[in-house]
């Protein structure tokens, strides 16, 4: 059970406050009126989950929680991609130490995201395969922008196996049989298909509407006691 905390400031402050990270790979906007923080991944061209992006995302998530935000929206600054997933080059031709560091960074970031103590919703504004799907599933509520892009764990089509903790979250989200078949086939779901199987919660025509729906979800916890 997460804690929903709100801070009421009596002095006049700007409606929005922007925080940056040292890596410039994550953009954070905090809406002072609602207490909601929007975290946008910004690692073009496809928001590959490099070690640097993962560290920046992890730090940003911990920062907004420490600032006692009322909730978080995770999205992308790219127009047609949420995240293309793990950075293959971070795993290719690496030694054991480098691989261990990368996977530890991935797991640490996922644990922060999945265990966040405030409401978090994903505004999925584009393609979200593999690790991108993992990030979206790790949020409590998922709003998907309609279009030609897809979402799912497609590791099988790349000749690899989704890690156990990817698979377990998939099963928890869409059910054992659907997850089993999707994992075997490496299925990527179009928006309407993703909604039908419960991989996402709502469909919207554009990112602006996705952000709005995520805000509504977070606001719904305003009167729930700790």
């Amino acid at each position: 059970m997460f804690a929903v905390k709100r801070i009421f400031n009596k002095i006049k402050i700007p409606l929005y406050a922007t925080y940056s990270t040292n890596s410039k790979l994550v953009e954070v906007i905090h809406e002072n009126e609602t207490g909601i923080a929007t975290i946008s991944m910004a690692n073009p061209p496809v928001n590959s989950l490099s070690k640097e992006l993962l560290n920046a995302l992890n730090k940003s998530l911990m920062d907004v929680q420490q600032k006692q935000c009322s909730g978080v929206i995770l999205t992308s600054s790219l127009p047609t991609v949420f995240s293309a997933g793990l950075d293959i080059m971070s795993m290719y031709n690496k030694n054991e130490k480098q691989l261990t560091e990368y996977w530890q960074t991935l797991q640490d970031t996922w644990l922060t995201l999945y265990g966040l103590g405030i409401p978090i919703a994903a505004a999925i504004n584009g393609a979200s395969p593999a690790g991108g799907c993992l990030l979206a599933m790790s949020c409590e509520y998922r709003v998907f922008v309609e279009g030609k892009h897809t979402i799912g764990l497609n590791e099988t089509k790349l000749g690899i196996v989704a890690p156990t903790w990817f698979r377990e979250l998939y099963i928890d989200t869409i059910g054992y049989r659907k997850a089993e078949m999707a994992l075997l086939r490496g299925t990527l779901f179009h928006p309407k298909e993703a909604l039908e199987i419960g991989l996402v919660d709502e469909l919207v025509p554009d990112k602006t509407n996705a952000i709005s729906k995520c805000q509504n979800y977070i606001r719904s916890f305003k009167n729930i006691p700790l």
Side-chain angles (χ1 to χ4, degrees):
M1 179 67 183
F2 50 73
V4 182
K5 300 178 181 178
R6 299 187 61 86
I7 299 176
F8 295 93
N9 198 327
K10 296 183 180 179
I11 63 174
K12 292 183 177 180
I13 53 178
L15 183 59
Y16 296 97
T18 303
Y19 308 98
S20 61
T21 64
N22 291 332
S23 68
K24 307 295 183 183
L25 296 176
V26 170
E27 301 167 352
V28 183
I29 297 177
H30 177 233
E31 186 178 345
N32 291 313
E33 185 178 7
T34 64
I36 297 173
T38 300
I39 297 178
S40 301
M41 294 176 285
N43 185 26
V46 294
N47 278 335
S48 293
L49 299 177
S50 64
K51 183 179 175 181
E52 293 75 21
L53 175 56
L54 289 167
N55 277 324
L57 179 58
N58 194 9
K59 182 180 184 301
S60 297
L61 289 166
M62 290 189 291
D63 283 349
V64 296
Q65 181 165 258
Q66 290 172 356
K67 292 179 188 297
Q68 298 182 316
C69 292
S70 60
V72 182
I73 299 170
L74 179 62
T75 189
S76 163
S77 66
L78 308 182
T80 59
V81 179
F82 181 70
S83 172
L86 305 190
D87 181 21
I88 300 299
M89 295 311 296
S90 294
M91 296 179 283
Y92 175 72
N93 201 25
K94 303 296 182 182
N95 59 42
E96 183 177 349
K97 182 176 182 294
Q98 291 171 318
L99 288 171
T100 300
E101 288 177 351
Y102 178 73
W103 279 97
Q104 186 66 60
T105 302
L106 172 63
Q107 290 176 327
D108 287 346
T109 303
W110 178 74
L111 286 170
T112 298
L113 174 62
Y114 192 65
L116 206 66
I118 54 179
I120 181 164
I124 311 165
N125 59 305
S128 187
C133 180
L134 175 75
L135 293 183
M137 287 192 297
S138 301
C139 298
E140 298 159 11
Y141 200 75
R142 295 169 291 280
V143 183
F144 200 12
V145 174
E146 294 182 284
K148 296 181 180 180
H149 40 261
T150 55
I151 185 172
L153 297 182
N154 65 324
E155 282 83 352
T156 305
K157 288 185 176 178
L158 304 176
I160 56 180
V161 177
T164 301
W165 43 292
F166 283 50
R167 301 197 304 266
E168 289 179 349
L169 186 56
Y170 214 28
I171 291 168
D172 288 344
T173 303
I174 65 175
Y176 187 91
R177 183 56 177 165
K178 288 187 177 67
E180 180 183 34
M181 295 306 298
L183 286 164
L184 285 171
R185 296 169 174 169
T187 306
L188 288 172
F189 298 97
H190 290 281
K192 288 184 179 179
E193 296 171 320
L195 180 64
E196 288 174 359
I197 65 173
L199 187 52
V200 301
D201 299 294
E202 289 191 74
L203 301 181
V204 292
D206 53 47
K207 182 179 176 180
T208 299
N209 277 277
I211 295 293
S212 179
K213 294 289 187 181
C214 289
Q215 290 172 335
N216 290 340
Y217 170 77
I218 293 170
R219 291 193 191 104
S220 71
F221 292 96
K222 179 180 178 181
N223 297 319
I224 294 180
L226 301 180

